[in-house]
Amino acid sequence: RQRERQRGRRRRGMDFSVKKLASGAGVFFTRAVQFTEEKLGQAEKTELDAHFENLLSRADSTKNWTEKILRQTEVLLQPNPSARIEEFLYEKLDRKIPSRITNGELLGQYMVDAASEFGPGTPYGSTLIKVGEAQRRLGAADRDFIQSSMINFLTPLRNFLEGDWKTILRERRLLENRRLDLDASKTRLKKAKAAEAKASATPDFQETRPRNYVLSASASALWSEEVTKAEQELRVAQTEFDRQAEVTRLLLEGISSTHINHLRCLHEFVEAQATYYAQCYQYTVDLQKLLGSSDGEMFPGAFVGDTNAQAPPGGVSPSAATIPVGPAAVGPCNPSTSSMTFTEVSPPSTGTRKARVLYDYDAADSSELELLADELITVYSLPGMDSDWLMGEKGNKKGKVPVTYLELLN
C-alpha cells in the first residue's frame, strides 16, 4: 500500500508538471503570436508614456557610456592586454590577483643591477643607481595610483553593470512580457465581442430553419460567456502590467542616484590622478637636481675644446660633443620653432653658459652667428636642435654656432 501511495504521488506530480509545462508553452505561444502580429502591423501595441520612455533611454545611455568608460580606464591603467585578460580570469574565478611588478620598478631594478656590474663607483654606475632608484619610486607611485583607481573608480562602475543594471534588465523583460499578455488579452476580448455581435444578430425566419436559430442562440450564449472570461483576464493582465510598470519605473528613476555615486567616484579618480602626477613630477625634479649637482664630477672638461687644434679646412666640422640641456630648456618641442626667426627666440633663464671662440667663423646665412677668435659669447641649447649646433648670443645678435668652434667654460 505504501508503494502504491508513493506511485500515486509521483503520478500526480508528473501530471502537475505536464500541466504546468503545457500552460507555460501556451503562454509563450500566445506572446509569440502577439509579438509577431505587432511586428506585422496586425495587432495594437500598448505604448508607454513619454516620461517612461525617457527613463528607458537614459538608462540605456548610462549603461553604454559606463561600459565604454570602464573599458578605456582599464586600458589606461593596464595597457598590456594579456595582463588585463589574466586579471579578468582571476576576478571571474573569485581569486586574489597576484601582485605584479610595474614597468617603472622593473626598469629601476635593471638599472641598479647594471650599475652593480659596471661598478657603482664609476660615473655611469653611480648615475644608473640614482636613476634606477627614481624609477623604482615612480613605479611604486604608479602601483598606488592603479590600486586606488581600481578600488574607488572601477569597482563602483563594475558593480553597477553587474548588479543594478542586470536587475533593471530582468524587470524590463518581465514588463515586456506583461505588456504582451495585456495586449493579447485586449485582442482576445476584441475578437470575442465581434463573434458575440455576429452570433446575436437576429436571424431571418423566412430563410433560416428553426434548428439553425437554436444553434445561433446557443452560440450567442457561448460567446457571451467567452466575453465575460476575456474581460476578467484583461483586468488581471492590466493589474499585473501596472504593478510591473511601477516597479520598473522606480528602478529606472534610481539611475539618478547612480549618477551621483559615479560623480563621487570620478572626483576620487581625479584626486588620485593628481596625486600620482604630483609625485612623479617631484621625483623627476629631485632626480634632475641630483644629476645636475654632479655634472662637474661626471663630465670634467667634457665640453672644453682643444686650444691647440687647428681650424677645420673648408668649413667642414668633425663630430662634436653635445652640451647638456638646462632644466628650463627641457620641454616638449614646439612645432612652430622651425618657422620662428632666431631673433624671436628668448634664451632660457637657466642653462646658459659662457664660451670662448676658438676660430673665426663666417656665417653661412642669416640664421647663423658670425664669430671672431678669442671673443666670449653666451650659448644655450634649444629643444629639437641639432647636437652639433648651439644658439649663441653676442651683444644684440644671436644665431646658430658650431660647437667645434667653441671652448665651453664652466
Side-chain angles (χ1 to χ4, degrees):
R1 292 178 181 176
Q2 186 176 1
R3 291 178 180 176
E4 290 178 356
R5 292 193 191 97
Q6 291 177 352
R7 283 196 294 269
R9 293 194 195 99
R10 286 197 295 268
R11 194 178 299 111
R12 286 192 296 272
M14 291 178 61
D15 293 341
F16 177 76
S17 299
V18 171
K19 291 179 180 178
K20 185 177 180 181
L21 179 62
S23 175
V27 172
F28 176 80
F29 179 76
T30 301
R31 291 171 179 171
V33 170
Q34 177 66 26
F35 181 80
T36 303
E37 290 181 349
E38 288 176 357
K39 291 298 182 182
L40 297 176
Q42 299 175 357
E44 296 180 0
K45 176 181 177 181
T46 300
E47 299 293 342
L48 301 171
D49 60 81
H51 177 63
F52 203 102
E53 292 290 349
N54 289 334
L55 291 176
L56 290 174
S57 176
R58 188 179 183 217
D60 291 335
S61 179
T62 301
K63 180 259 182 182
N64 293 335
W65 284 111
T66 300
E67 277 186 338
K68 292 180 180 179
I69 293 173
L70 174 66
R71 299 292 174 256
Q72 194 56 40
T73 306
E74 290 176 339
V75 173
L76 173 67
L77 300 179
Q78 179 51 266
N80 188 348
S82 300
R84 292 201 304 273
I85 294 175
E86 181 182 353
E87 292 175 358
F88 175 79
L89 294 178
Y90 273 102
E91 182 181 350
K92 290 302 179 183
L93 295 175
D94 198 17
R95 298 179 60 183
K96 183 179 179 181
I97 300 176
S99 178
R100 183 184 292 107
I101 187 171
T102 62
N103 294 328
E105 291 173 319
L106 184 60
L107 175 60
Q109 185 61 47
Y110 285 167
M111 288 183 173
V112 173
D113 293 344
S116 299
E117 185 171 342
F118 297 150
T122 63
Y124 184 40
S126 62
T127 303
L128 278 174
I129 292 177
K130 295 174 182 177
V131 177
E133 292 298 331
Q135 293 301 323
R136 283 178 172 178
R137 289 193 292 270
L138 290 172
D142 188 24
R143 180 196 303 276
D144 294 340
F145 169 59
I146 292 174
Q147 292 178 349
S148 176
S149 299
M150 291 183 66
I151 295 174
N152 298 325
F153 187 60
L154 292 185
T155 299
L157 298 185
R158 193 176 290 112
N159 289 342
F160 165 72
L161 294 174
E162 297 179 357
D164 296 347
W165 179 250
K166 288 186 177 180
T167 302
I168 291 174
L169 279 184
R170 183 172 62 250
E171 297 301 329
R172 285 176 64 175
R173 285 193 293 266
L174 188 56
L175 176 63
E176 178 66 11
N177 290 336
R178 294 289 181 262
R179 186 197 63 77
L180 290 173
D181 294 341
L182 175 61
D183 290 336
S185 298
K186 291 179 179 179
T187 302
R188 190 180 304 114
L189 177 60
K190 184 177 180 181
K191 292 180 179 179
K193 286 184 177 181
E196 180 190 26
K198 183 177 180 181
S200 62
T202 304
D204 187 352
F205 289 100
Q206 296 179 355
E207 299 180 1
T208 306
R209 290 178 296 178
R211 180 173 177 274
N212 292 339
Y213 177 75
V214 173
L215 291 175
S216 177
S218 177
S220 178
L222 290 175
W223 282 116
S224 297
E225 183 180 350
E226 184 67 22
V227 168
T228 302
K229 183 179 179 181
E231 289 176 344
Q232 177 64 24
E233 291 179 354
L234 178 59
R235 284 192 293 269
V236 173
Q238 185 69 56
T239 301
E240 293 180 350
F241 172 77
D242 293 340
R243 183 185 301 114
Q244 185 58 37
E246 184 62 25
V247 171
T248 308
R249 184 192 301 273
L250 292 176
L251 288 174
L252 293 175
E253 290 175 347
I255 292 293
S256 298
S257 300
T258 300
H259 285 187
I260 295 175
N261 183 38
H262 289 181
L263 175 62
R264 178 183 56 81
C265 297
L266 187 60
H267 278 278
E268 294 180 356
F269 173 71
V270 172
E271 290 178 3
Q273 198 172 34
T275 301
Y276 166 66
Y277 285 121
Q279 289 176 335
C280 293
Y281 173 76
Q282 188 60 48
Y283 292 153
T284 52
V285 167
D286 293 343
L287 176 62
Q288 192 177 34
K289 292 179 180 178
L290 183 62
L291 296 181
S293 63
S294 56
D295 276 350
E297 301 175 1
M298 296 180 183
F299 309 105
F303 302 105
V304 178
D306 185 2
T307 56
N308 298 322
Q310 300 297 322
V316 179
S317 58
S319 60
T322 58
I323 183 173
V325 180
V330 177
C333 180
N334 188 349
S336 63
T337 302
S338 58
S339 61
M340 186 184 298
T341 61
F342 287 106
T343 56
E344 298 172 348
V345 178
S346 300
S349 58
T350 60
T352 61
R353 298 181 67 171
K354 290 294 184 180
R356 186 173 65 87
V357 179
L358 300 177
Y359 326 107
D360 293 344
Y361 177 74
D362 295 329
D365 53 45
S366 59
S367 66
E368 298 179 359
L369 181 64
E370 186 174 342
L371 303 175
L372 297 176
D374 294 327
E375 65 179 345
L376 293 178
I377 64 173
T378 301
V379 294
Y380 51 89
S381 178
L382 292 177
M385 195 173 215
D386 193 318
S387 60
D388 292 339
W389 295 83
L390 293 171
M391 282 297 297
E393 287 190 4
K394 181 176 62 173
N396 295 329
K397 298 179 181 180
K398 64 177 64 177
K400 295 191 301 181
V401 294
V403 176
T404 51
Y405 282 71
L406 304 174
E407 175 189 357
L408 300 177
L409 305 178
N410 291 330

